[in-house]
Amino acid sequence: MSEQTIAQRLEALGIVLPIASEPAAKYANFVKVNGLLYVSGKGPSGSPRGKLGKDYSTQEGYEFARLTGIEILAVLQSAVGSLSRIKQVVKLQGFVNAVPEFEEHHKVLNGCSDLMLDVFGENGVHARSVFGAVSLRDNLPIIVDSIFEFVE
């Protein structure tokens, strides 16, 4: 997919990519191995804090997951220089900070999944898994780590 097409999609979505956030501890933002780009766990911009099912609704969680996807896109751009070098979204893995009774983790992670499809089209189709967490760093509502195939 050409950069112009991706740029047009981002513009149509009203997205201006931020500068990639820095890691929260002693690890790399991303690692490149054999044409795959592994992005470390990212949370939503603005650092909201709290649990789904207590502090936030499923819809709010969806929006947090979308914001997390934007953070991931910023890391991708910093890693490979141009989002047009992303060949495939391979996998998203979400961790949702939720109360034990919460059962809509999959609907929350859709916020990130939908964004990847909107930005990358058919190359945004991916495998994924999502887990409920009793707690996450900084009490973030969601963290997503991800894997992408890129043009070396």
Side-chain angles (χ1 to χ4, degrees):
M1 180 176 295
S2 73
E3 182 62 32
Q4 185 176 19
T5 302
I6 291 175
Q8 289 171 341
R9 287 179 184 205
L10 290 172
E11 184 177 346
L13 294 166
I15 296 171
V16 175
L17 292 182
I19 294 172
S21 59
E22 294 296 318
K26 293 185 179 182
Y27 56 87
N29 244 354
F30 59 86
V31 174
K32 298 176 188 177
V33 178
N34 299 324
L36 293 177
L37 183 63
Y38 296 80
V39 178
S40 294
K42 290 291 174 187
S45 61
S47 300
R49 288 165 168 54
K51 291 188 175 291
L52 276 289
K54 175 184 170 198
D55 305 305
Y56 299 112
S57 68
T58 299
Q59 183 58 42
E60 288 170 311
Y62 176 97
E63 294 302 324
F64 292 143
R66 185 178 186 281
L67 289 172
T68 301
I70 293 170
E71 288 286 323
I72 292 167
L73 293 174
V75 171
L76 292 175
Q77 185 165 284
S78 74
V80 298
S82 169
L83 293 179
S84 66
R85 292 184 60 202
I86 301 300
K87 289 173 61 175
Q88 181 70 48
V89 180
V90 177
K91 183 166 185 180
L92 300 178
Q93 183 167 278
F95 300 89
V96 178
N97 189 4
V99 296
E101 302 79 28
F102 189 76
E103 295 181 349
E104 297 187 322
H105 307 80
H106 59 295
K107 292 179 182 178
V108 169
L109 190 56
N110 282 346
C112 191
S113 292
D114 289 346
L115 177 68
M116 295 302 156
L117 293 168
D118 289 344
V119 171
F120 296 109
E122 65 184 41
N123 296 339
V125 176
H126 53 274
R128 76 175 210 183
S129 53
V130 62
F131 304 94
V134 64
S135 68
L136 294 175
R137 70 168 168 84
D138 299 327
N139 200 28
L140 290 171
I142 186 168
I143 292 176
V144 178
D145 54 82
S146 48
I147 304 169
F148 298 82
E149 182 183 15
F150 71 101
V151 177
E152 293 191 75

